[in-house]
Amino acid sequence: MEILLIIRFCCNCTYALLYKPIDRVTRSTLVLHDLLKHTPVDHPDYPLLQDALRISQNFLSSINEDIDPRRTAVTTPKGETRQLVKDGFLVEMSESSRKLRHVFLFTDVLLCAKLKKTSAGKHQQYDCKWYIPLADLVFPSPEESEASPQVHLFPDHELEDMKMKISALKSEIQKEKANKGQSRAIERLKKKMFENEFLLLLNSPTIPFRIHNRNGKSYLFLLSSDYERSEWREAIQKLQKKDLQAFVLSSVELQVLTGSCFKLRTVHNIPVTSNKDDDESPGLYGFLHVIVHSAKGFKQSANLYCTLEVDSFGYFVSKAKTRVFRDTAEPKWDEEFEIELEGSQSLRILCYEKCYDKTKVNKDNNEIVDKIMGKGQIQLDPQTVETKNWHTDVIEMNGIKVEFSMKFTSRDMSLKRTPSKKQTGVFGVKISVVTKRERSKVPYIVRQCVEEVEKRGIEEVGIYRISGVATDIQALKAVFDANNKDILLMLSDMDINAIAGTLKLYFRELPEPLLTDRLYPAFMEGIALSDPAAKENCMMHLLRSLPDPNLITFLFLLEHLKRVAEKEPINKMSLHNLATVFGPTLLRPSEVESKAHLTSAADIWSHDVMAQVQVLLYYLQHPPISFAELKRNTLYFSTDV
């Protein structure tokens, strides 16, 4: 009896001294989160609550890192204890083709496996493809690595097509569920969606992650995110600091270890949305505005910049990059970016030191390797970001603190076009008013931006796709609106992505799209025609039906985009890429129509975007279209649409 009392006393002490304080912090964190949700942003206590929540979350994160619940032990036949530290799905280049692998990092070994195909009713098992003891694992430096065979990259337009198909299938599934459709039909659609998501996950990663067994072979993974590459590298290097011994697993030991993977794994499903439960958050659709303010905590001066990543279709992609702040320990960027979200739930910020040494080139992709100084991630909580006001926060990473602000605009709000009250400017003013005032056929802003892009940006990688700095774009907008005499000087000094962004913004802020609200339904019907002759007649007829300023400007832009696409081998911008960027801007449903036909944010993204892209692509792929020829043919066609 006394022994039982002693045991109970010890358990109570353990609970009181170890578990209870942690539990209190956990509960306090939840309370702080709820308080913050219901506290107005302009309330004097709001910043204090933010600080308290951040401190609590950082404390809990550090506890989780020290006591990782995933480190489940497995005992080898020799009686050794081996723990699982990290696992996940990675794309491996094997025999010149992409293979999806499940990679397991144990305390002393990295194991690469694939899930075996099993018949119904049987337990699933892994098949080991290879393993490397951590004592033998090395990361080859750029100078040591050998040039690898060229990795086949999937064309961007094919990846975009996959995304469109996935979004369309998602909409069909939602409609079937809303109409209480048959479960077989829903399962069939889900299967199709999974197949497309799997292909996208397999073919989209391009960032090389090479590991080498010092006793022989190298292995190459392709990742979609530098953040993910850094996580794997850091986790391996942390384990390698211990006194590890090289070994060779016997066939029995390897069988036991591989057999334990199914039970120990922490990542159970391929990261695709079709594997998500129905009650899981669909993520945010729209535009996230982020200002990267500054960073502190660097030990010495360096050339520093940040990149921003968001998740989309099950994987993370890099969306924006600040300028390099040279030779400083306290960079102050104050740069604003507009990032398109497609079902996104997280934002990642990575801080780099820029490397200018051309000898440090990664032979897997011929890019200079910059050093990651720190990285951090935050959840995009709809309650926090869906406000009209900016939400300021600090992200802590390896002793570095990056200050940033963000706000979110939903996709339905972004469809709204607000005409300018000031008719003296050019943004938000009808194109016919601007051309009449300027006595020009094409607005001055369009001509100047196009001229500058063709002069020094036509070979810029990702021109029109890479975001320009929002503050630079706003400065150019103000100069054009004021018709400032220093426009040309400012254009010549401005970053080319900001100029490209200004041109896109001009078309986006027109009171109605360039191809007009009135003709939008007809363009949607025309592009869906299957007969080539009928489609040609309809699409040309629709161009003739545009007001002259709209038509002349559209044809001017069309020829410019064709010239940009001619440099695709250098700038990586194909006709399809350019159609994807400009299609939804030049051709959008009116606010009334979008409200009448669309029911959800995902629908807004997928419903007509594919058709909008196809309309612009049709004209981009068409032989040169002459304004005079179109007008001459007007005599033979009615202009009623």
Side-chain angles (χ1 to χ4, degrees), residues 144-320:
E144 295 167 341
S145 61
E146 297 175 6
S148 63
Q150 188 65 35
V151 175
H152 172 67
L153 297 181
F154 233 57
D156 281 349
H157 70 268
E158 290 188 32
L159 295 175
E160 289 299 327
D161 283 346
M162 283 182 208
K163 290 180 183 180
M164 298 293 186
K165 283 178 190 170
I166 291 163
S167 297
L169 286 164
K170 205 178 283 184
S171 295
E172 283 185 58
I173 291 167
Q174 286 172 350
K175 283 172 191 169
E176 283 287 336
K177 285 179 178 176
N179 297 331
K180 296 184 178 173
Q182 292 184 353
S183 58
R184 275 189 190 175
I186 293 171
E187 285 308 310
R188 197 162 49 247
L189 288 168
K190 279 187 174 180
K191 188 182 176 185
K192 266 192 199 176
M193 183 168 146
F194 176 82
E195 287 167 359
N196 278 281
E197 286 192 303
F198 181 83
L199 277 174
L200 185 63
L201 194 69
L202 192 66
N203 292 297
S204 55
T206 59
I207 297 172
F209 177 49
R210 185 175 288 280
I211 54 176
H212 180 69
N213 186 334
R214 68 172 85 247
N215 297 319
K217 200 173 173 186
S218 283
Y219 301 94
L220 176 64
F221 292 108
L222 295 174
L223 310 181
S224 62
S225 154
D226 211 8
Y227 191 103
E228 188 182 7
R229 177 168 64 177
S230 176
E231 276 191 323
W232 278 98
R233 185 188 286 268
E234 286 171 10
I236 291 168
Q237 288 174 333
K238 186 176 179 182
L239 293 169
Q240 287 179 322
K241 288 177 182 174
K242 296 172 184 174
D243 183 25
L244 298 171
Q245 302 297 316
F247 58 85
V248 176
L249 293 173
S250 69
S251 57
V252 174
E253 288 174 319
L254 184 58
Q255 193 177 349
V256 169
L257 182 61
T258 309
S260 71
C261 287
F262 189 79
K263 190 166 59 173
L264 299 180
R265 63 183 179 165
T266 62
V267 181
H268 294 266
N269 295 314
I270 296 168
V272 293
T273 52
S274 46
N275 280 336
K276 282 186 177 181
D277 295 330
D278 290 342
D279 58 350
E280 282 189 63
S281 167
L284 294 170
Y285 289 83
F287 295 92
L288 185 70
H289 301 264
V290 181
I291 301 174
V292 183
H293 294 294
S294 59
K296 291 178 181 177
F298 296 99
K299 291 176 182 171
Q300 57 190 43
S301 293
N303 303 315
L304 304 164
Y305 69 92
C306 285
T307 64
L308 308 177
E309 295 180 353
V310 294
D311 56 317
S312 169
F313 292 91
Y315 60 95
F316 278 83
V317 285
S318 184
K319 287 282 193 175

Side-chain angles (χ1 to χ4, degrees), residues 413-453:
M413 288 298 291
S414 72
L415 284 169
K416 292 183 178 178
R417 291 174 179 254
T418 309
S420 173
K421 292 174 184 174
K422 211 174 143 191
Q423 291 295 301
T424 53
V426 291
F427 282 82
V429 180
K430 283 185 179 180
I431 201 163
S432 56
V433 172
V434 173
T435 50
K436 188 176 179 181
R437 186 205 308 142
E438 294 177 351
R439 295 180 183 176
S440 63
K441 292 182 177 178
V442 175
Y444 178 70
I445 182 174
V446 176
R447 286 182 282 123
Q448 288 308 130
C449 288
V450 162
E451 185 182 318
E452 201 64 36
V453 167

